[in-house]
Amino acid sequence: MSETSGHAMGNLVEPVNRYIQDPMAKQIVGFLKNTPVTPNQVTYFSVLTGFVSGYAFSFASPVSMVLGGLLLEMTLVLDCVDGQLARAKGMASEWGRLIDGIAGYFAYLAVVVGLIKGFPEYEPVLKIIAGLIILRAISYDYCKQSLATLIMQGYDGMEREIESTRQKIKANMSWVLVLYFYYMQAQQLFFRGEWSFLRQAKSGDQGVQADLTLEQRKACYEKIKFLLLLWRWNGLDLPLFLLALFAILGIISTSLIPFAWVMTVQYLLTLIAHHYFVRRL
């Protein structure tokens, strides 16, 4: 991998992951890699932890807020552990990656439901925050799949991932892969105004672009490196980490409304910047 590619991925790593979640996860992986524990088992445990976190939040007492915040942070750390453990044990698989992504949404949904139960007067703003978190997660995933792959490999990873998934479904029908396929279509629709169904199969090399050369990849990186820096503040983990922090500090009820406003403005400005920089490509 070239130095430019390394910078592209480094620019996309969420700061809260780089400095907090990932270092903690590495310590846990160092212990688990020589045990029979599997990455999927860690994923299931992280979901359970998220559900318990939501249950704690539903009581809205000072003690339960601290407990819920700590458990939410544990969920975020475990979400990093499963991927690292899969790589450490050589057990990485597409199925595990899909389960990890889907399971995380259920865990974080449980957290939001718990907060709504605990603070019913803030239900509308909590729903807005939940929607923003989902939008950020979908957008951040798209950015990594499309732009980072463009810089690292020289092609649009989103287009090839969609076609690869289509072929896998054709060879072996799976509802998880179908769900993943239409998840990517939702990303395509949001960012490119494009949508296709499974039955709309491509023929041959129709629409496949040639890979970029190393010099072209470097030129692309120079054009969008500021955009990559913007996107790293729009991932899934930062808002959830802040919710956990607000709960532990006992300021969650007073922080929700300004938090929703800041998230909204930040996300909209990033989208505007995204469309401006992508047009330059």
Side-chain angles (χ1 to χ4, degrees):
M1 182 183 294
S2 69
E3 184 180 355
T4 298
S5 300
H7 286 323
M9 287 307 296
N11 288 349
L12 273 173
V13 176
E14 290 186 78
V16 70
N17 268 345
R18 173 177 290 174
Y19 299 112
I20 300 178
Q21 263 88 255
D22 278 347
M24 295 172 66
K26 286 178 182 177
Q27 296 299 316
I28 298 174
V29 170
F31 172 75
L32 293 179
K33 66 181 180 181
N34 296 319
T35 70
V37 176
T38 68
N40 284 349
Q41 288 172 341
V42 175
T43 299
Y44 302 144
F45 185 69
S46 71
V47 174
L48 177 62
T49 305
F51 273 81
V52 177
S53 172
Y55 182 69
F57 281 138
S58 68
F59 290 97
S61 68
V63 174
S64 68
M65 286 292 99
V66 173
L67 178 60
L70 291 173
L71 289 172
L72 176 53
E73 174 59 17
M74 183 184 296
T75 303
L76 293 172
V77 173
L78 290 173
D79 196 31
C80 297
V81 169
D82 53 12
Q84 291 185 23
L85 185 62
R87 291 188 290 274
K89 288 192 170 191
M91 299 176 65
S93 68
E94 184 175 84
W95 180 259
R97 183 166 63 88
L98 291 174
I99 292 176
D100 180 31
I102 295 172
Y105 282 110
F106 283 108
Y108 304 136
L109 178 61
V111 168
V112 173
V113 170
L115 285 169
I116 290 175
K117 292 290 185 182
F119 301 92
E121 66 274 23
Y122 290 103
E123 180 176 351
V125 71
L126 281 166
K127 288 182 177 179
I128 291 173
I129 290 173
L132 285 169
I133 289 174
I134 292 172
L135 275 176
R136 288 164 66 105
I138 293 173
S139 303
Y140 182 73
D141 186 45
Y142 167 85
C143 185
K144 288 195 298 182
Q145 188 75 13
S146 181
L147 298 181
T149 310
L150 183 68
I151 303 301
M152 294 176 62
Q153 306 294 337
Y155 58 81
D156 187 334
M158 177 60 64
E159 292 181 355
R160 297 200 183 182
E161 182 72 4
I162 288 174
E163 187 57 26
S164 173
T165 303
R166 193 198 309 269
Q167 295 302 323
K168 290 172 183 175
I169 294 172
K170 185 178 179 180
N172 184 19
M173 182 63 183
S174 165
W175 69 268
V176 175
L177 286 175
V178 171
L179 183 62
Y180 181 50
F181 176 85
Y182 283 111
Y183 167 76
M184 290 188 289
Q185 290 306 317
Q187 291 175 313
Q188 287 270 88
L189 182 64
F190 186 75
F191 280 94
R192 302 180 181 180
E194 300 174 4
W195 179 276
S196 65
F197 293 94
L198 277 171
R199 64 179 179 271
Q200 296 172 308
K202 292 182 179 179
S203 58
D205 295 329
Q206 182 181 359
V208 176
Q209 300 293 325
D211 292 356
L212 301 181
T213 65
L214 179 59
E215 291 305 314
Q216 288 173 324
R217 287 158 54 192
K218 288 181 178 179
C220 284
Y221 173 72
E222 290 301 320
K223 289 180 180 180
I224 64 171
K225 62 182 179 180
F226 180 71
L227 175 63
L228 298 177
L229 289 172
L230 287 179
W231 271 119
R232 74 176 181 179
W233 293 98
N234 283 272
L236 173 68
D237 285 14
L238 179 61
L240 291 167
F241 171 79
L242 290 176
L243 283 177
L245 183 63
F246 295 156
I248 293 170
L249 296 177
I251 59 172
I252 195 164
S253 60
T254 58
S255 303
L256 290 175
I257 293 177
F259 182 47
W261 275 108
V262 170
M263 283 181 64
T264 302
V265 172
Q266 178 197 35
Y267 182 68
L268 289 176
L269 289 177
T270 303
L271 282 183
I272 292 171
H274 178 90
H275 289 290
Y276 168 76
F277 281 100
V278 168
R279 279 201 301 269
R280 298 177 63 191
L281 296 179

